[in-house]
Amino acid sequence: MQAAIGIDIGGTKTAIGLVASDGAVLATTSLPTDLTISPYDMVDRIAEAANRLMAEKELLPADLQGIGIGAPGPLNTKLGQIAEPPNLRAWWGFPVVDAFKRHYDARIVLENDATAAALAEKQAGAAKDADHFVYVTISTGIGAGIYSHGRLLTGSTGNAGDIGHMVVDPAGGDCPCGQRGCFEHIASGTAIAREASVMLGRPVTTKEAFELALSGRDAAMDQLVQRVFRYIGIGCVTLINTFDPELIVIGGGVSQVGAPLFDAVSGYIREHALNPSGRRTPLVPAALHQDAGLIGAAALVQTHY
């Protein structure tokens, strides 16, 4: 049996899995992303964990199809480097592909984590039957993977789909990137928790903000959530007008609010998308959640993308 190693590097956790060619997850594990040690030492830990999974499944080096790595951007996939992701400052400029080559004599591919998740949804999730779709993740930040004409669009350095930093509302305040009103600064889970905490004068989680808003107990919180839904609608209409997808897939923690978000955003699309066909673009929840990143990372080496 052949399999690929999928690695999903995050700011707090790194997920690792063995994935068969059909997208079936054979085994998984995870490690805290320890930012107090060097990236090289962290790669050593990841490789050790991956090798343990291979040993448990009695896979030999000859059975390994390759290693796929999904990581937050900005990246430079041409050079195999992690460039300047805000939540991985200790990894800035790190040659992650070369670091894994110290452990494996196999093909190693690096792509943005949202791009990898889009490929997972194509291979085994909500977009299996789509040749033109955009996967949008709304969680701590906001990003996208773009699939068009039967293949991923990754850009010249692997950073296509970094929609979190397109300006949606310049009145939305200063984004850490230096612009004003960036999509993720005003509509991510982080943004919801930040604004809700200011409103209530105490720490508030995104989940609590949604519960207060949707229960009808807090009109101001409902206004905040409805504004965020409108911002997400603006982002989706921009993607529809730009890429003309047949489908938009929404994933990430904020998507777990379910029907209130999907109904509100679908309504905005029906009203504001430019093309009549665009106004009918289906908006669907991601089918893969916790394992999407590692499934997509493995698929990077298993498919021609």
Side-chain angles (χ1 to χ4, degrees), residues 232-255:
I232 295 171
I234 292 169
C236 287
V237 164
T238 301
L239 292 169
I240 290 167
N241 291 347
T242 303
F243 295 105
D244 191 25
E246 61 190 288
L247 182 71
I248 291 185
V249 180
I250 306 286
V254 170
S255 71

Side-chain angles (χ1 to χ4, degrees), residues 168-246:
V168 169
D169 182 359
D174 294 329
C175 179
C177 80
Q179 297 197 102
R180 290 182 59 82
C182 287
F183 195 9
E184 76 175 32
H185 184 65
I186 59 177
S188 64
T190 303
I192 296 166
R194 182 188 68 242
E195 293 301 312
S197 297
V198 170
M199 290 166 59
L200 296 181
R202 62 176 176 83
V204 178
T205 65
T206 307
K207 183 174 183 288
E208 183 184 358
F210 277 124
E211 289 172 348
L212 288 170
L214 300 175
S215 69
R217 291 177 293 161
D218 192 317
M221 199 65 64
D222 183 60
Q223 288 180 353
L224 168 64
V225 167
Q226 295 305 319
R227 183 167 68 247
V228 167
F229 289 168
R230 180 169 59 86
Y231 287 147
I232 295 171
I234 292 169
C236 287
V237 164
T238 301
L239 292 169
I240 290 167
N241 291 347
T242 303
F243 295 105
D244 191 25
E246 61 190 288

